[in-house]
Amino acid sequence: MLKLSKRLQRIADYVTIGNRVADIGSDHAMLPVYLLQANVSPSAIAGELNRGPYEAARKQGADAGLTARLTVRQGDGLSVLLPNEAETVTIAGMGGSLMSDILEAGYAAGKLEGVTELVLQPNVGEELVRKWLLKHNWFLKSESILEEDGKIYEVLHAVRIDDAETRNHELYHSGNIQMKLGAEQWFLVQLQMGPYLLRQPQLVLFKKWQHELNKLERICGQLATSELPESAIKRDQFLAEMNVIKEVLQCLQTDNPSSS
């Protein structure tokens, strides 16, 4: 059986057993091949925009003897999927902005009809994906964070349920840090940093956001050398963002001594 990286294995672990899966931006189709080999999914679709990865995905499926269960299609985003062809859609390894655009275009075209589960791994811009899920009433059921080969990844698992709006409201409007930050600021922080990740903070979460603080500090240092008024405004915005992140991390360390 194909052995996956830690990142892809985490995505695979979220896929509901028995669901047909469509992997968008599948690259070499390693994820759908694994899901078929492990009998997690009865069938799979691998979508890839570029010719090279598309051919590699076809070869991967053929070499594994899965051409009867794996359909490889070349196309942009969810355009490769027909309504009611899959229950689970996985998208990984791209920025949150592009991922949100792909989801929005697919939603508008009816490509998500019949899809009840999304497993999403944005490389950056995770808050944009969380916003999209909220906007379209997908319940963020769980999320996780992991480090592999010096890179930190977040994986979001969302489901389509009747009471998604209520469940999302409960998710984003509760938590003991809320009283320290204020309700609106706490909501925005959760979109940025992840509601589940904040409730059960791991060392890798602190590592990610300390790295982000270091990056923002370098940017502020560069902006401080500029005499443009716009630079001063931008610097003040970054400093305010840094203060919030520091406050959140301090609260997490206080509330969860084992994470410090």
Side-chain angles (χ1 to χ4, degrees):
M1 183 182 296
L2 194 65
K3 183 172 175 59
L4 298 179
S5 64
K6 281 174 59 178
R7 175 181 68 95
L8 289 179
Q9 186 63 57
R10 186 66 57 88
I11 296 168
D13 290 343
Y14 278 127
V15 176
T16 298
I17 294 174
N19 277 12
R20 298 170 298 169
V21 66
D23 185 37
I24 305 304
S26 193
D27 198 11
H28 286 60
M30 294 184 71
L31 178 61
V33 164
Y34 170 85
L35 292 170
L36 294 173
Q37 289 179 332
N39 290 319
V40 173
S41 301
S43 64
I45 296 166
E48 179 55 55
L49 176 61
N50 298 312
R51 188 73 188 178
Y54 162 74
E55 294 292 352
R58 290 185 62 189
K59 184 177 187 302
Q60 183 86 259
D63 290 348
L66 292 170
T67 52
R69 297 167 62 199
L70 175 64
T71 303
V72 182
R73 297 173 184 168
Q74 187 176 11
D76 190 6
L78 286 161
S79 67
V80 301
L81 185 63
L82 296 175
N84 297 301
E85 269 195 315
E87 289 81 39
T88 298
V89 165
T90 59
I91 312 178
M94 63 184 70
S97 178
L98 176 57
M99 188 174 291
S100 299
D101 288 345
I102 287 173
L103 289 167
E104 187 63 33
Y107 170 81
K111 300 294 185 176
L112 293 176
E113 187 175 332
V115 176
T116 58
E117 179 176 63
L118 298 172
V119 186
L120 309 168
Q121 183 267 300
N123 287 342
V124 294
E126 295 89 354
E127 72 276 7
L128 298 175
V129 179
R130 293 188 182 99
K131 286 179 182 178
W132 188 92
L133 294 171
L134 271 178
K135 175 184 175 183
H136 293 286
N137 286 326
W138 283 81
F139 174 54
L140 184 61
K141 185 177 181 180
S142 55
E143 58 188 359
S144 57
I145 186 169
L146 68 145
E147 184 175 10
E148 184 174 33
D149 297 332
K151 295 182 180 179
I152 296 175
Y153 303 101
E154 294 182 19
V155 184
L156 313 182
H157 179 215
V159 293
R160 192 199 297 272
I161 53 176
D162 291 339
D163 60 345
E165 187 173 1
T166 300
R167 298 277 295 276
N168 276 324
H169 186 272
E170 293 171 352
L171 173 63
Y172 283 100
H173 293 84
S174 64
N176 58 355
I177 300 179
Q178 177 180 349
M179 304 309 295
K180 301 171 185 177
L181 293 177
E184 182 60 27
Q185 195 169 52
W186 172 232
F187 170 68
L188 295 175
V189 164
Q190 289 180 99
L191 283 177
Q192 184 181 30
M193 301 176 75
Y196 294 103
L197 304 182
L198 289 168
R199 282 162 175 75
Q200 294 183 319
Q202 301 174 42
L203 289 176
V204 65
L205 180 73
F206 289 89
K207 184 174 183 179
K208 171 178 178 170
W209 289 102
Q210 187 56 57
H211 177 76
E212 185 66 20
L213 284 172
N214 294 340
K215 185 173 72 174
L216 289 172
E217 189 171 349
R218 288 195 299 271
I219 294 172
C220 286
Q222 294 168 354
L223 290 172
T225 63
S226 172
E227 297 181 358
L228 294 174
E230 296 85 353
S231 297
I233 294 173
K234 200 69 177 174
R235 182 172 181 270
D236 287 343
Q237 291 173 345
F238 284 138
L239 287 172
E241 181 180 351
M242 290 172 64
N243 286 336
V244 171
I245 294 172
K246 289 177 181 177
E247 183 177 352
V248 170
L249 295 181
Q250 182 60 48
C251 287
L252 292 179
Q253 289 173 328
T254 301
D255 294 339
N256 300 271
S258 61
S259 299
S260 59

